[in-house]
Amino acid sequence: MIRANAICKSFAGKQVLSGIDLDIKPGMIFGLLGPSGAGKTTLIKIITGQLGFDSGDVTVFGKNVSDLTGTDKKQIGIMMDDHGVYDRLSCTDNLKIFADIYGIPHSKIISALEEVGLKDAAKKPAMKLSKGMRARLQLARVFMVSPKILFLDEPTSGLDPMTMKYIHKLIQNRKAAGCTIFLTTHNMEEATELCDEVALLNDGKIVDRGNPSEICRRYNHRKAISIHLKTGEDIRLPDGIESADKISSLLKQGKVETIHSSEPTLETVFIELTGRKLENDAEARYA
Amino acid sequence: MRNVAVIIRKQLKDTLKNKTVLIQFIMFPVMTLIMENAISVPDMPELFFTKLFSVMYMGMAPLTSVASIISEEKEKNTLRVLMMANVKPWEYLAGVGIYVWMLCMAGAGIMATGLPASVIPFYLGVMAVGIAISVAMGACIGVFSPNQMVATSLFMPVMMVFSFAPMLAMFNDKIEKVAGIFYTQQLKILINQMSFDGIKPSAVLTVAVNAALALLLFFAAFRKKGLE
Ligand SMILES: Nc1ncnc2c1ncn2[C@@H]1O[C@H](COP(=O)(O)OP(=O)(O)O)[C@@H](O)[C@H]1O
Ligand SMILES: [Mg+2]
């Protein structure tokens, strides 16, 4: 469905993407996971033909992006993190503009608003919507076109957990309807929950990829034992014989408050691989 | 072509909800109606307010509204979404330009109600030219500005010069000489006499040069910035 081969891109001499390969099969949710500034948005822009690139090649529907026709483009829904809505216009009027551009019957507007749970707010001007409702209006705009491929650039970034769950449900519904979804996120929980396949992007390179639980299993040898001491101190020990004596002596001394083994998550895998945290970078951006 | 119509419809809906732009379009026509009907001073030239306000309207409303509309769409990141939906830059600009031009012509139509029927076609013709040049100037500023703040700081002085110079020229000979290089002043002279009689080739040339400059600046801004 989407194939990329050794994509390289630099801005003013600064290498942003260095040799990205992708092969995204129809009907899957693919997650591009990486901290802010990793090059996620840049990669989406390249795949969707909004941005040129230095070398490599990209095909969507088996065609070079530059060869995609108007009909092909109608099958591609794109929601970028910097897309806006018309503040003074109602939800319905916002969608009407795009329904008219795409030549979609107006009946689809109502069903799109219904799908994202904005039917009751249909007449509200967009400026009166909450942040989560606004995000859903943007989703309605791409859903309305009934695309075969959806590109969602950080669709839940900055949203509360409730809205996030709701949007996950919407994305899964789209998958059930046969849509292929390419999303980016810096939230590893989201990626684990939602994606059939993820690629971990750091500094313009894919450092690992695969099914989220499979990745975690692969790093299972890094399983660790976390101990919280009564003194308030936290210690992490490797899960193996070498730690047995240390643990038993701590237990004998009665110093242990809690003890548990921690499975690797995408987050810890990412830290292992790159020495960077995913979320902290993102928080720094909003700080 | 369909996309141009979509943009025009969108603007129409939006203007009705956007008081700051709406007031631009109706202030001068309404003021003209009020002043012409309410005030009569002996010795005042005939249709004084209609002529004065028409020229100010022509220099102000199209310029500020086109620049505001385009720069707001950039600031709020809605223009990208249109481009992504395969609306061509020319379709968008044509939509906004035609929309503002038509709305201003409707305003001019209201101001024309006080004129003798025989000169109305002449008056509307002159207004059509002036409004079109102002639309191009506004597009130039809108394309150049990344956001509304920059657009406002650019269109304020430009609009002041174009719309106030003809008024100040009435009181001061030196200003009149300088104002003569602007299309608004030349068109003001035409509107004052309400006919092409005795029109100087230099006047036509000035208007043509103004129009050419506006287009040239517009294309330069567009080439440099696109609609990003
Ligand atoms: N138009 C541009 N010009 C110069 N540098 C850019 C441009 N777009 C992105 N970059 C740089 O490319 C890097 C990756 O950006 P981006 O793809 O937006 O990251 P992400 O979406 O993962 O947060 C950043 O370092 C950013 O500063
Ligand atoms: Mg990004």
Side-chain angles (χ1 to χ4, degrees):
Chain A
M1 205 74 167
I2 304 166
R3 219 181 252 275
N5 197 355
I7 301 291
C8 291
K9 172 76 186 173
S10 48
F11 288 112
K14 186 174 157 258
Q15 188 92 7
V16 172
L17 294 175
S18 6
I20 304 290
D21 300 312
L22 292 174
D23 183 7
I24 297 168
K25 303 271 185 316
M28 71 150 86
I29 302 182
F30 173 84
L32 186 64
L33 185 63
S36 167
K40 303 183 294 296
T41 302
T42 306
L43 187 55
I44 285 203
K45 284 192 172 166
I46 288 172
I47 298 174
T48 54
Q50 303 171 60
L51 194 67
F53 48 101
D54 306 336
S55 62
D57 49 61
V58 186
T59 57
V60 178
F61 299 127
K63 288 185 196 173
N64 270 322
V65 267
S66 49
D67 298 338
L68 291 177
T69 61
T71 333
D72 293 329
K73 284 187 183 162
K74 272 196 196 172
Q75 318 263 16
I76 303 175
I78 305 169
M79 180 176 135
M80 300 302 286
D81 56 353
D82 62 358
H83 277 182
V85 297
Y86 291 102
D87 278 337
R88 287 177 295 268
L89 299 183
S90 67
C91 295
T92 312
D93 284 341
N94 260 287
L95 296 190
K96 218 174 253 169
I97 297 170
F98 294 90
D100 289 345
I101 291 173
Y102 285 110
I104 298 168
H106 286 180
S107 57
K108 279 244 185 168
I109 294 171
I110 309 294
S111 54
L113 286 175
E114 206 160 19
E115 179 176 354
V116 301
L118 282 180
K119 200 175 164 219
D120 294 334
K123 293 212 171 82
K124 259 197 187 174
M127 66 175 118
K128 297 238 168 84
L129 301 178
S130 69
K131 202 168 172 193
M133 290 163 99
R134 231 176 138 84
R136 274 143 58 195
L137 176 59
Q138 293 180 342
L139 279 176
R141 186 162 65 196
V142 273
F143 287 176
M144 181 179 67
V145 190
S146 313
K148 291 225 171 73
I149 304 181
L150 266 177
F151 288 91
L152 306 172
D153 193 8
E154 310 217 10
T156 58
S157 160
L159 298 180
D160 61 280
M162 282 279 283
T163 311
M164 203 153 151
K165 281 257 144 39
Y166 190 86
I167 288 180
H168 288 172
K169 187 105 206 310
L170 295 177
I171 295 174
Q172 269 153 349
N173 289 348
R174 276 286 136 176
K175 180 194 167 183
C179 195
T180 309
I181 294 146
F182 183 124
L183 62 86
T184 71
T185 175
H186 57 251
N187 181 325
M188 38 78 207
E189 270 175 55
E190 174 166 277
T192 314
E193 187 183 316
L194 215 50
C195 301
D196 302 303
E197 197 179 314
V198 294
L200 308 183
L201 183 71
N202 186 47
D203 277 339
K205 286 197 199 71
I206 291 179
V207 290
D208 205 347
R209 67 175 86 212
N211 177 276
S213 43
E214 196 185 291
I215 293 184
C216 295
R217 221 174 303 132
R218 212 179 310 145
Y219 289 85
N220 216 12
H221 61 276
R222 314 268 167 94
K223 220 157 81 170
I225 291 176
S226 321
I227 302 171
H228 184 73
L229 298 183
K230 289 194 171 134
T231 56
E233 202 184 335
D234 278 307
I235 51 178
R236 266 172 88 85
L237 295 169
D239 181 8
I241 305 170
E242 69 268 32
S243 309
D245 287 344
K246 179 96 203 248
I247 295 172
S248 97
S249 81
L250 283 171
L251 281 170
K252 279 178 195 151
Q253 290 165 27
K255 281 189 179 170
V256 175
E257 175 91 45
T258 65
I259 175 165
H260 59 271
S261 77
S262 56
E263 312 285 324
T265 62
L266 280 183
E267 172 92 54
T268 54
V269 170
F270 197 88
I271 296 171
E272 291 251 4
L273 283 170
T274 67
R276 285 174 82 176
K277 281 195 173 184
L278 285 165
E279 288 281 11
N280 282 0
D281 288 42
E283 273 160 24
R285 188 167 63 151
Y286 292 112
Chain B
M1 243 6 241
R2 186 177 67 195
N3 287 346
V4 177
V6 172
I7 300 295
I8 292 176
R9 262 205 306 280
K10 161 180 97 62
Q11 282 318 133
L12 193 60
K13 260 186 210 147
D14 192 58
T15 305
L16 294 174
K17 293 177 174 141
N18 187 353
K19 293 187 189 68
T20 42
V21 168
L22 190 60
I23 210 151
Q24 293 280 335
F25 289 120
I26 54 181
M27 182 174 69
F28 282 109
V30 168
M31 263 168 49
T32 305
L33 290 184
I34 294 174
M35 299 300 251
E36 287 294 356
N37 290 307
I39 299 188
S40 69
V41 182
D43 292 338
M44 196 158 75
E46 211 186 343
L47 294 166
F48 175 82
F49 288 112
T50 305
K51 289 171 176 174
L52 177 64
F53 288 161
S54 293
V55 174
M56 293 179 78
Y57 186 58
M58 168 206 288
M60 212 179 268
L63 198 139
T64 55
S65 46
V66 170
S68 308
I69 290 168
I70 299 176
S71 59
E72 183 183 11
E73 291 233 36
K74 285 198 207 171
E75 182 173 326
K76 304 243 174 101
N77 287 321
T78 47
L79 194 48
R80 300 171 191 280
V81 192
L82 290 177
M83 298 294 121
M84 190 86 75
N86 234 350
V87 175
K88 302 276 174 293
W90 73 263
E91 292 175 322
Y92 173 76
L93 292 165
V96 171
I98 292 171
Y99 165 74
V100 170
W101 185 85
M102 289 197 309
L103 213 61
C104 288
M105 284 308 286
I110 293 173
M111 292 195 269
T113 51
L115 297 172
S118 60
V119 300
I120 288 179
F122 173 85
Y123 167 83
L124 288 179
V126 173
M127 288 301 281
V129 171
I131 292 169
I133 298 176
S134 294
V135 164
M137 301 256 182
C140 182
I141 293 172
V143 167
F144 187 79
S145 311
N147 56 45
Q148 294 187 88
M149 198 126 98
V150 175
T152 310
S153 64
L154 287 176
F155 73 56
M156 269 307 184
V158 176
M159 162 208 100
M160 294 286 219
V161 168
F162 288 142
S163 57
F164 286 101
M167 184 175 72
L168 298 175
M170 294 190 298
F171 309 113
N172 182 313
D173 284 349
K174 274 206 195 93
I175 295 181
E176 188 174 7
K177 278 223 181 70
V178 178
I181 62 170
F182 302 128
Y183 66 108
T184 42
Q185 170 66 5
Q186 296 300 342
L187 297 174
K188 170 92 170 45
I189 295 169
L190 281 179
I191 285 181
N192 269 342
Q193 57 192 38
M194 280 299 173
S195 81
F196 287 119
D197 290 346
I199 186 173
K200 292 196 205 95
S202 67
V204 178
L205 190 70
T206 306
V207 175
V209 167
N210 273 257
L213 267 179
L215 285 177
L216 207 73
L217 281 173
F218 167 74
F219 283 113
F222 186 74
R223 269 191 68 159
K224 184 145 183 280
K225 304 260 176 170
L227 277 186
E228 277 302 309

